[in-house]
Amino acid sequence: MQQSVRIAPSILAADFARLGEEIKALEDAGADFIHIDVMDGHFVPNLTVGPSLVQALRPHSSLPFDVHLMISPVDDFVPKFAEAGADIITVHPEAGPDAARTIALIKKQGKKAGIALNPGTPADAVGPVLGEVDLILVMSVEPGFGGQTFMASQLDKIRTLRDRIDASGRRIDLEVDGGITADTAPQAVAAGADLLVAGTATFAGGPSRYADNMSRLRGDA
Ligand code: DX5
Ligand code: ZN
C-alpha cells in the first residue's frame, strides 16, 4: 500500500563543512530520513563518503540513515556501514556479484535492506529479492551526481513496481532518487512512490528554507 509521502534529503547537496549542523537542521525542519550517497569512483564516476562519516554523523540525528551504496564490490562494506549507524542499506544489482546474497547480508546485520535500479535496469530485476527487501529505489537520473534532470521515462517502472509491491502484500517503501523538484515530485507520487530523495530541492535557499522546501515536495504547500 502506498504510504503518505516522506522526504529523504540527500546530504550530497549539503554544506560539507557543517554536516552535523545540516542534518540537525533537516531533522528540525521535518525530514523523515537522512539519505547518504556513497560513491566509489568506479561503480559511478564520483567519490563521496565512507563509514567513518556515517559514524561521525550518527550522534547528530535520531532520524533513520538511508545509506545508498553505489560501490562495487559492496559485500565487504555492508558490516562496516551497519556498525557505523546505517538503518537502511540500499545496494545496486548492477554492482554484482549476487544481489540476493548482499540483501541477506544486510538483514543478517539487523538492518533494513533496499535494492536500487539504474534507469536502464528493468523492474524485473527486483523479482528475486521482492520477498526480502524493505525498500525499492528507482533511480530517476544516472547515479553519480546531484542536480540532474528527472527522467520521466522512469515513471512506467515506478507504476509497475507499485503494482508488484501491492500484489506482494509486503510493506516495501518505493523510493525515487534524482531530479525531484516541486514539479516532478507529484509525478513520482502519482506513479506510486512514497519516499522521495531530494538533494538540490531541499537545500535550495539555505536552512531557513528547508521546512518550506520539503512541504512543497510533499504537496502540502
Ligand atoms: C545520485 C544520488 C542522488 C542525488 C540526488 O547518484 O543517488 O541521491 O544526490 O540529488 P538531486 O536531488 O539534486 O537530484
Ligand atoms: Zn541516492
Side-chain angles (χ1 to χ4, degrees):
M1 204 185 64
Q2 189 171 2
Q3 303 161 71
S4 58
V5 181
R6 289 152 302 148
I7 307 295
S10 162
I11 61 166
L12 209 51
D15 178 351
F16 265 47
R18 309 171 38 251
L19 271 181
E21 290 161 53
E22 288 278 59
I23 66 168
K24 169 86 171 62
L26 292 169
E27 185 163 0
D28 292 346
D32 298 284
F33 297 79
I34 300 293
H35 185 85
I36 302 175
D37 288 303
V38 178
M39 306 185 186
D40 68 353
H42 159 74
F43 180 68
V44 291
N46 195 5
L47 199 56
T48 59
V49 303
S52 57
L53 193 278
V54 174
Q55 187 177 11
L57 290 181
R58 189 63 281 181
H60 294 268
S61 176
S62 58
L63 293 178
F65 281 2
D66 170 27
V67 176
H68 178 191
L69 298 182
M70 289 160 273
I71 64 178
S72 176
V74 62
D75 289 6
D76 285 351
F77 284 99
V78 166
K80 296 186 172 80
F81 282 100
E83 283 159 26
D87 297 283
I88 307 165
I89 299 177
T90 296
V91 296
H92 281 256
E94 306 91 349
D98 182 347
R101 196 175 70 198
T102 309
I103 299 290
L105 187 59
I106 297 168
K107 307 287 278 191
K108 203 175 140 207
Q109 302 288 321
K111 304 299 179 183
K112 292 192 170 175
I115 184 107
L117 303 184
N118 279 342
T121 303
D124 282 344
V126 302
V129 294
L130 190 67
E132 309 299 329
V133 292
D134 303 289
L135 179 149
I136 297 172
L137 185 159
V138 175
M139 289 303 307
S140 41
V141 298
E142 291 296 341
F145 300 94
Q148 301 184 76
T149 302
F150 182 82
M151 297 167 71
S153 59
Q154 299 306 302
L155 290 167
D156 267 348
K157 194 195 293 179
I158 298 168
R159 283 185 207 102
T160 301
L161 289 166
R162 166 52 51 206
D163 289 346
R164 293 203 189 161
I165 290 169
D166 289 350
S168 78
R170 299 190 64 242
R171 183 183 162 136
I172 301 174
D173 294 326
L174 184 51
E175 183 172 42
V176 177
D177 186 1
I180 291 292
T181 64
D183 291 327
T184 59
Q187 299 173 38
V189 171
D194 49 18
L195 178 53
L196 304 176
V197 176
T200 307
T202 299
F203 287 92
S208 66
R209 300 286 314 153
Y210 296 168
D212 281 353
N213 289 345
M214 288 189 279
S215 293
R216 289 184 64 203
L217 297 175
R218 283 193 189 92
D220 294 343

